[in-house]
Amino acid sequence: MILELDCGNSYIKWRIVDGLSELLAAEGIASHALELVDDLRGRELMAAIDRCRMVSVRGDLETAEIINTLTDALRVKVDSASPLSNAGGVINGYHDQQRLGVDRWLAIIAAYDLCKRACLVIDLGTAITVDLVAQDGLHLGGYIVPGAALLRGQLLAHARRIQYDVAESSLALSDLSPGRSTAEAVERGCLIMVRSYIATQMEYAEFYLGKDFTTFVTGGDLALASDLSSVLCVPDLVFRGLAKACP
């Protein structure tokens, strides 16, 4: 069994897949490596893991600590993916190729592998990242903007009169009519901003990719776009790329 880790800015998403069939055996989310180890131990999954591969957007020191914790606990080698000049038919388009976020790199490798044509890759995470890949696999670059949680957080942090609790937040997205409370106004406004940004990026991508391209959406806030018929939602896009980078 292979333990796969996606160490994002906020959480460590993990799953265990069969090394031969790639079928999913277990999955979860942890806030730190020790919590992950405790979860694996509690589910009696430790003995089944014979390999680990990971992607991390965290700093070098924190990433090294995660690797050391897992190596000590599982007694297996931990493979960590990194951006390359080319992989899976995709050519890294950054001037400094190592500066391209590895999660973005893996997502575009997976997206291009799935469609084998021009594609737009949108990751709705702590930050919203957008990447464009041409028909021939050339990565054209992309964009980075704050995600929905950051947009909301900035309002709550800097506008003293904009305050509401989590319960109000969860009820505010029942529809997208003009908000009649602060929670509704903020939550619906942020959602509309995200969805409008997706639509704008799809329109803008035609200039670089032509009309024949596939739009992939992934990330922790995938649900914000799950009902859009014009996009292909792939929750495990980064994991798919990780399997390509660390087969």
Side-chain angles (χ1 to χ4, degrees):
M1 291 290 188
I2 303 174
L3 173 63
E4 298 182 327
L5 308 176
D6 179 2
C7 305
N9 293 299
S10 303
Y11 300 101
I12 299 175
K13 290 175 285 186
W14 64 269
R15 70 181 191 178
I16 296 176
V17 296
D18 184 277
L20 296 176
S21 67
E22 295 290 334
L23 291 175
L24 181 66
E27 61 183 340
I29 297 176
S31 58
H32 51 79
L34 288 175
E35 182 181 315
L36 166 59
V37 171
D38 288 342
D39 196 1
L40 294 174
R41 186 175 289 114
R43 299 196 202 188
E44 299 183 347
L45 295 169
M46 300 278 283
I49 299 168
D50 51 33
R51 190 178 162 207
C52 179
R53 56 192 177 206
M54 67 178 286
V55 50
S56 176
V57 299
R58 303 188 181 192
D60 292 341
L61 181 59
E62 191 173 359
T63 298
E65 289 176 350
I66 294 171
I67 292 175
N68 291 336
T69 298
L70 293 172
T71 301
D72 291 343
L74 301 174
R75 302 298 178 187
V76 298
K77 184 177 183 293
V78 179
D79 293 320
S80 184
S82 60
L84 302 173
S85 59
N86 62 83
V90 178
I91 302 170
N92 191 324
Y94 256 34
H95 299 304
D96 182 351
Q97 294 169 339
Q98 288 297 312
R99 295 297 300 274
L100 175 63
V102 64
D103 54 338
R104 291 170 61 192
W105 175 238
L106 297 181
I108 63 179
I109 289 174
Y112 190 72
D113 180 68
L114 284 170
C115 69
K116 296 293 193 296
R117 65 172 187 162
C119 54
L120 177 68
V121 184
I122 302 174
D123 190 328
L124 303 179
T126 302
I128 297 175
T129 62
V130 177
D131 287 282
L132 295 89
V133 183
Q135 178 74 29
D136 60 0
L138 177 61
H139 173 230
L140 303 180
Y143 305 93
I144 304 174
V145 299
L150 286 178
L151 291 173
R152 182 189 308 113
Q154 286 298 302
L155 278 173
L156 296 176
H158 296 287
R160 295 180 181 177
R161 296 182 67 85
I162 297 182
Q163 298 294 327
Y164 53 92
D165 58 34
V166 176
E168 289 181 278
S169 175
S170 62
L171 295 173
L173 294 178
S174 56
D175 64 67
L176 291 179
S177 61
R180 302 184 67 181
S181 70
T182 299
E184 290 178 353
V186 171
E187 295 295 328
R188 295 174 187 178
C190 289
L191 173 57
I192 289 170
M193 284 188 69
V194 170
R195 290 163 70 96
S196 297
Y197 183 68
I198 293 172
T200 299
Q201 286 294 338
M202 292 175 67
E203 293 176 4
Y204 196 54
E206 290 188 14
F207 179 79
Y208 295 99
L209 304 177
K211 293 185 178 296
D212 189 21
F213 65 90
T214 302
T215 300
F216 292 90
V217 179
T218 191
D221 281 335
L222 178 65
L224 301 183
S226 61
D227 63 332
L228 300 178
S229 60
S230 52
V231 307
L232 183 59
C233 293
V234 184
D236 63 346
L237 199 60
V238 173
F239 279 133
R240 286 172 180 260
L242 180 59
K244 293 292 179 183
C246 303

